[in-house]
PDB file of all heavy atoms in Angstrom:
ATOM      1  N   ALA A  42      87.467 202.043 120.048  1.00 83.00           N
ATOM      2  CA  ALA A  42      86.447 202.549 121.000  1.00 83.00           C
ATOM      3  C   ALA A  42      85.259 201.603 121.004  1.00 83.00           C
ATOM      4  O   ALA A  42      84.688 201.293 122.095  1.00 83.00           O
ATOM      5  CB  ALA A  42      86.037 203.967 120.595  1.00 83.00           C
ATOM      6  N   GLU A  43      84.838 201.165 119.851  1.00 88.00           N
ATOM      7  CA  GLU A  43      83.679 200.246 119.757  1.00 88.00           C
ATOM      8  C   GLU A  43      84.016 198.906 120.441  1.00 88.00           C
ATOM      9  O   GLU A  43      83.200 198.359 121.160  1.00 88.00           O
ATOM     10  CB  GLU A  43      83.291 200.054 118.268  1.00 88.00           C
ATOM     11  CG  GLU A  43      82.665 201.277 117.646  1.00 88.00           C
ATOM     12  CD  GLU A  43      82.385 201.111 116.188  1.00 88.00           C
ATOM     13  OE1 GLU A  43      82.885 200.059 115.626  1.00 88.00           O
ATOM     14  OE2 GLU A  43      81.802 201.960 115.498  1.00 88.00           O
ATOM     15  N   GLU A  44      85.197 198.401 120.182  1.00 90.00           N
ATOM     16  CA  GLU A  44      85.647 197.147 120.829  1.00 90.00           C
ATOM     17  C   GLU A  44      85.669 197.332 122.299  1.00 90.00           C
ATOM     18  O   GLU A  44      85.266 196.428 123.063  1.00 90.00           O
ATOM     19  CB  GLU A  44      87.042 196.732 120.261  1.00 90.00           C
ATOM     20  CG  GLU A  44      87.060 196.310 118.849  1.00 90.00           C
ATOM     21  CD  GLU A  44      88.420 196.036 118.347  1.00 90.00           C
ATOM     22  OE1 GLU A  44      89.375 196.243 119.123  1.00 90.00           O
ATOM     23  OE2 GLU A  44      88.587 195.641 117.173  1.00 90.00           O
ATOM     24  N   GLY A  45      86.205 198.419 122.755  1.00 89.00           N
ATOM     25  CA  GLY A  45      86.267 198.658 124.208  1.00 89.00           C
ATOM     26  C   GLY A  45      84.886 198.755 124.860  1.00 89.00           C
ATOM     27  O   GLY A  45      84.658 198.263 125.966  1.00 89.00           O
ATOM     28  N   ALA A  46      83.933 199.399 124.153  1.00 90.00           N
ATOM     29  CA  ALA A  46      82.563 199.487 124.689  1.00 90.00           C
ATOM     30  C   ALA A  46      81.912 198.138 124.762  1.00 90.00           C
ATOM     31  O   ALA A  46      81.210 197.830 125.722  1.00 90.00           O
ATOM     32  CB  ALA A  46      81.739 200.452 123.794  1.00 90.00           C
ATOM     33  N   ARG A  47      82.096 197.304 123.748  1.00 92.00           N
ATOM     34  CA  ARG A  47      81.529 195.953 123.787  1.00 92.00           C
ATOM     35  C   ARG A  47      82.160 195.049 124.846  1.00 92.00           C
ATOM     36  O   ARG A  47      81.449 194.218 125.409  1.00 92.00           O
ATOM     37  CB  ARG A  47      81.696 195.313 122.386  1.00 92.00           C
ATOM     38  CG  ARG A  47      80.807 195.857 121.298  1.00 92.00           C
ATOM     39  CD  ARG A  47      80.798 194.968 120.119  1.00 92.00           C
ATOM     40  NE  ARG A  47      82.122 194.770 119.531  1.00 92.00           N
ATOM     41  CZ  ARG A  47      82.603 195.496 118.574  1.00 92.00           C
ATOM     42  NH1 ARG A  47      81.913 196.492 118.065  1.00 92.00           N
ATOM     43  NH2 ARG A  47      83.773 195.250 118.109  1.00 92.00           N
ATOM     44  N   SER A  48      83.387 195.262 125.135  1.00 91.00           N
ATOM     45  CA  SER A  48      84.119 194.391 126.091  1.00 91.00           C
ATOM     46  C   SER A  48      83.612 194.598 127.486  1.00 91.00           C
ATOM     47  O   SER A  48      83.656 193.709 128.351  1.00 91.00           O
ATOM     48  CB  SER A  48      85.628 194.636 126.038  1.00 91.00           C
ATOM     49  OG  SER A  48      85.943 195.941 126.565  1.00 91.00           O
ATOM     50  N   GLY A  49      83.239 195.812 127.852  1.00 93.00           N
ATOM     51  CA  GLY A  49      82.858 196.158 129.226  1.00 93.00           C
ATOM     52  C   GLY A  49      84.014 196.275 130.168  1.00 93.00           C
ATOM     53  O   GLY A  49      83.812 196.396 131.372  1.00 93.00           O
ATOM     54  N   ALA A  50      85.227 196.275 129.659  1.00 96.00           N
ATOM     55  CA  ALA A  50      86.413 196.316 130.515  1.00 96.00           C
ATOM     56  C   ALA A  50      86.536 197.618 131.276  1.00 96.00           C
ATOM     57  O   ALA A  50      87.148 197.663 132.366  1.00 96.00           O
ATOM     58  CB  ALA A  50      87.710 196.063 129.653  1.00 96.00           C
ATOM     59  N   TYR A  51      85.945 198.701 130.732  1.00 95.00           N
ATOM     60  CA  TYR A  51      86.028 199.961 131.373  1.00 95.00           C
ATOM     61  C   TYR A  51      85.258 200.003 132.693  1.00 95.00           C
ATOM     62  O   TYR A  51      85.401 200.952 133.491  1.00 95.00           O
ATOM     63  CB  TYR A  51      85.404 201.087 130.428  1.00 95.00           C
ATOM     64  CG  TYR A  51      84.017 200.811 130.028  1.00 95.00           C
ATOM     65  CD1 TYR A  51      82.919 201.256 130.732  1.00 95.00           C
ATOM     66  CD2 TYR A  51      83.740 200.083 128.868  1.00 95.00           C
ATOM     67  CE1 TYR A  51      81.578 201.013 130.383  1.00 95.00           C
ATOM     68  CE2 TYR A  51      82.434 199.778 128.475  1.00 95.00           C
ATOM     69  CZ  TYR A  51      81.389 200.263 129.206  1.00 95.00           C
ATOM     70  OH  TYR A  51      80.077 199.982 128.838  1.00 95.00           O
ATOM     71  N   LEU A  52      84.443 199.001 132.923  1.00 97.00           N
ATOM     72  CA  LEU A  52      83.675 198.930 134.160  1.00 97.00           C
ATOM     73  C   LEU A  52      84.534 198.329 135.328  1.00 97.00           C
ATOM     74  O   LEU A  52      84.174 198.508 136.496  1.00 97.00           O
ATOM     75  CB  LEU A  52      82.424 198.071 133.989  1.00 97.00           C
ATOM     76  CG  LEU A  52      81.347 198.598 133.054  1.00 97.00           C
ATOM     77  CD1 LEU A  52      80.275 197.578 132.875  1.00 97.00           C
ATOM     78  CD2 LEU A  52      80.777 199.901 133.550  1.00 97.00           C
ATOM     79  N   TYR A  53      85.593 197.637 135.013  1.00 98.00           N
ATOM     80  CA  TYR A  53      86.362 196.999 136.040  1.00 98.00           C
ATOM     81  C   TYR A  53      87.037 197.958 137.030  1.00 98.00           C
ATOM     82  O   TYR A  53      87.120 197.647 138.239  1.00 98.00           O
ATOM     83  CB  TYR A  53      87.431 196.049 135.433  1.00 98.00           C
ATOM     84  CG  TYR A  53      86.853 194.716 135.042  1.00 98.00           C
ATOM     85  CD1 TYR A  53      86.504 194.467 133.690  1.00 98.00           C
ATOM     86  CD2 TYR A  53      86.530 193.740 136.008  1.00 98.00           C
ATOM     87  CE1 TYR A  53      85.960 193.255 133.340  1.00 98.00           C
ATOM     88  CE2 TYR A  53      85.972 192.533 135.613  1.00 98.00           C
ATOM     89  CZ  TYR A  53      85.667 192.289 134.312  1.00 98.00           C
ATOM     90  OH  TYR A  53      85.096 191.090 133.910  1.00 98.00           O
ATOM     91  N   PRO A  54      87.498 199.129 136.661  1.00 97.00           N
ATOM     92  CA  PRO A  54      87.953 200.088 137.656  1.00 97.00           C
ATOM     93  C   PRO A  54      86.842 200.476 138.673  1.00 97.00           C
ATOM     94  O   PRO A  54      87.105 200.653 139.848  1.00 97.00           O
ATOM     95  CB  PRO A  54      88.391 201.298 136.825  1.00 97.00           C
ATOM     96  CG  PRO A  54      88.811 200.679 135.510  1.00 97.00           C
ATOM     97  CD  PRO A  54      87.838 199.609 135.262  1.00 97.00           C
ATOM     98  N   LEU A  55      85.600 200.559 138.179  1.00 97.00           N
ATOM     99  CA  LEU A  55      84.500 200.871 139.097  1.00 97.00           C
ATOM    100  C   LEU A  55      84.157 199.664 139.972  1.00 97.00           C
ATOM    101  O   LEU A  55      83.909 199.823 141.160  1.00 97.00           O
ATOM    102  CB  LEU A  55      83.272 201.293 138.283  1.00 97.00           C
ATOM    103  CG  LEU A  55      83.430 202.515 137.374  1.00 97.00           C
ATOM    104  CD1 LEU A  55      82.152 202.796 136.628  1.00 97.00           C
ATOM    105  CD2 LEU A  55      83.814 203.739 138.192  1.00 97.00           C
ATOM    106  N   LYS A  56      84.225 198.469 139.393  1.00 97.00           N
ATOM    107  CA  LYS A  56      84.023 197.223 140.162  1.00 97.00           C
ATOM    108  C   LYS A  56      85.103 197.133 141.198  1.00 97.00           C
ATOM    109  O   LYS A  56      84.872 196.667 142.334  1.00 97.00           O
ATOM    110  CB  LYS A  56      84.072 196.002 139.235  1.00 97.00           C
ATOM    111  CG  LYS A  56      82.880 195.918 138.284  1.00 97.00           C
ATOM    112  CD  LYS A  56      83.000 194.698 137.410  1.00 97.00           C
ATOM    113  CE  LYS A  56      81.821 194.567 136.408  1.00 97.00           C
ATOM    114  NZ  LYS A  56      81.959 193.374 135.529  1.00 97.00           N
ATOM    115  N   GLY A  57      86.302 197.554 140.857  1.00 98.00           N
ATOM    116  CA  GLY A  57      87.429 197.525 141.823  1.00 98.00           C
ATOM    117  C   GLY A  57      87.164 198.376 143.023  1.00 98.00           C
ATOM    118  O   GLY A  57      87.560 198.043 144.151  1.00 98.00           O
ATOM    119  N   ILE A  58      86.593 199.541 142.802  1.00 97.00           N
ATOM    120  CA  ILE A  58      86.238 200.435 143.921  1.00 97.00           C
ATOM    121  C   ILE A  58      85.334 199.781 144.924  1.00 97.00           C
ATOM    122  O   ILE A  58      85.513 199.750 146.133  1.00 97.00           O
ATOM    123  CB  ILE A  58      85.609 201.738 143.409  1.00 97.00           C
ATOM    124  CG1 ILE A  58      86.614 202.531 142.596  1.00 97.00           C
ATOM    125  CG2 ILE A  58      85.090 202.633 144.566  1.00 97.00           C
ATOM    126  CD1 ILE A  58      85.988 203.770 141.943  1.00 97.00           C
ATOM    127  N   TYR A  59      84.268 199.139 144.399  1.00 97.00           N
ATOM    128  CA  TYR A  59      83.274 198.516 145.254  1.00 97.00           C
ATOM    129  C   TYR A  59      83.861 197.276 145.962  1.00 97.00           C
ATOM    130  O   TYR A  59      83.704 197.103 147.172  1.00 97.00           O
ATOM    131  CB  TYR A  59      82.041 198.079 144.430  1.00 97.00           C
ATOM    132  CG  TYR A  59      81.009 197.342 145.215  1.00 97.00           C
ATOM    133  CD1 TYR A  59      80.124 197.941 146.040  1.00 97.00           C
ATOM    134  CD2 TYR A  59      80.939 195.921 145.157  1.00 97.00           C
ATOM    135  CE1 TYR A  59      79.190 197.285 146.803  1.00 97.00           C
ATOM    136  CE2 TYR A  59      79.967 195.228 145.927  1.00 97.00           C
ATOM    137  CZ  TYR A  59      79.127 195.914 146.728  1.00 97.00           C
ATOM    138  OH  TYR A  59      78.184 195.218 147.499  1.00 97.00           O
ATOM    139  N   TYR A  60      84.628 196.465 145.186  1.00 98.00           N
ATOM    140  CA  TYR A  60      85.177 195.257 145.767  1.00 98.00           C
ATOM    141  C   TYR A  60      86.178 195.576 146.899  1.00 98.00           C
ATOM    142  O   TYR A  60      86.223 194.982 147.958  1.00 98.00           O
ATOM    143  CB  TYR A  60      85.844 194.415 144.666  1.00 98.00           C
ATOM    144  CG  TYR A  60      86.099 192.948 145.057  1.00 98.00           C
ATOM    145  CD1 TYR A  60      85.119 192.030 144.808  1.00 98.00           C
ATOM    146  CD2 TYR A  60      87.322 192.586 145.672  1.00 98.00           C
ATOM    147  CE1 TYR A  60      85.350 190.672 145.187  1.00 98.00           C
ATOM    148  CE2 TYR A  60      87.532 191.266 145.990  1.00 98.00           C
ATOM    149  CZ  TYR A  60      86.570 190.324 145.767  1.00 98.00           C
ATOM    150  OH  TYR A  60      86.758 189.011 146.096  1.00 98.00           O
ATOM    151  N   PHE A  61      87.052 196.577 146.563  1.00 97.00           N
ATOM    152  CA  PHE A  61      88.064 196.987 147.537  1.00 97.00           C
ATOM    153  C   PHE A  61      87.385 197.535 148.810  1.00 97.00           C
ATOM    154  O   PHE A  61      87.750 197.170 149.952  1.00 97.00           O
ATOM    155  CB  PHE A  61      88.942 198.050 146.931  1.00 97.00           C
ATOM    156  CG  PHE A  61      90.127 198.418 147.765  1.00 97.00           C
ATOM    157  CD1 PHE A  61      91.346 197.734 147.692  1.00 97.00           C
ATOM    158  CD2 PHE A  61      90.078 199.478 148.613  1.00 97.00           C
ATOM    159  CE1 PHE A  61      92.460 198.054 148.411  1.00 97.00           C
ATOM    160  CE2 PHE A  61      91.204 199.851 149.454  1.00 97.00           C
ATOM    161  CZ  PHE A  61      92.356 199.128 149.318  1.00 97.00           C
ATOM    162  N   ALA A  62      86.380 198.332 148.602  1.00 97.00           N
ATOM    163  CA  ALA A  62      85.703 198.928 149.789  1.00 97.00           C
ATOM    164  C   ALA A  62      85.011 197.911 150.659  1.00 97.00           C
ATOM    165  O   ALA A  62      84.854 198.167 151.870  1.00 97.00           O
ATOM    166  CB  ALA A  62      84.710 200.011 149.287  1.00 97.00           C
ATOM    167  N   THR A  63      84.539 196.826 150.069  1.00 96.00           N
ATOM    168  CA  THR A  63      83.773 195.835 150.821  1.00 96.00           C
ATOM    169  C   THR A  63      84.636 194.667 151.304  1.00 96.00           C
ATOM    170  O   THR A  63      84.104 193.718 151.866  1.00 96.00           O
ATOM    171  CB  THR A  63      82.615 195.309 149.989  1.00 96.00           C
ATOM    172  OG1 THR A  63      83.100 194.766 148.741  1.00 96.00           O
ATOM    173  CG2 THR A  63      81.612 196.424 149.662  1.00 96.00           C
ATOM    174  N   HIS A  64      85.922 194.683 151.085  1.00 95.00           N
ATOM    175  CA  HIS A  64      86.861 193.656 151.526  1.00 95.00           C
ATOM    176  C   HIS A  64      87.961 194.273 152.355  1.00 95.00           C
ATOM    177  O   HIS A  64      89.030 194.618 151.797  1.00 95.00           O
ATOM    178  CB  HIS A  64      87.372 192.825 150.343  1.00 95.00           C
ATOM    179  CG  HIS A  64      86.305 192.019 149.680  1.00 95.00           C
ATOM    180  ND1 HIS A  64      85.369 192.572 148.891  1.00 95.00           N
ATOM    181  CD2 HIS A  64      86.048 190.673 149.689  1.00 95.00           C
ATOM    182  CE1 HIS A  64      84.530 191.586 148.383  1.00 95.00           C
ATOM    183  NE2 HIS A  64      84.959 190.480 148.904  1.00 95.00           N
ATOM    184  N   LYS A  65      87.772 194.422 153.630  1.00 94.00           N
ATOM    185  CA  LYS A  65      88.668 195.187 154.491  1.00 94.00           C
ATOM    186  C   LYS A  65      90.067 194.528 154.578  1.00 94.00           C
ATOM    187  O   LYS A  65      91.012 195.273 154.901  1.00 94.00           O
ATOM    188  CB  LYS A  65      88.060 195.352 155.900  1.00 94.00           C
ATOM    189  CG  LYS A  65      86.841 196.216 155.885  1.00 94.00           C
ATOM    190  CD  LYS A  65      86.243 196.409 157.276  1.00 94.00           C
ATOM    191  CE  LYS A  65      85.049 197.356 157.284  1.00 94.00           C
ATOM    192  NZ  LYS A  65      84.526 197.553 158.669  1.00 94.00           N
TER     193      LYS A  65
END
Side-chain angles (χ1 to χ4, degrees):
E43 291 175 351
E44 291 175 358
R47 288 194 300 268
S48 72
Y51 58 89
L52 294 175
Y53 280 101
L55 300 179
K56 292 179 181 179
I58 294 174
Y59 177 78
Y60 198 89
F61 188 87
T63 56
H64 292 73
K65 294 184 178 180

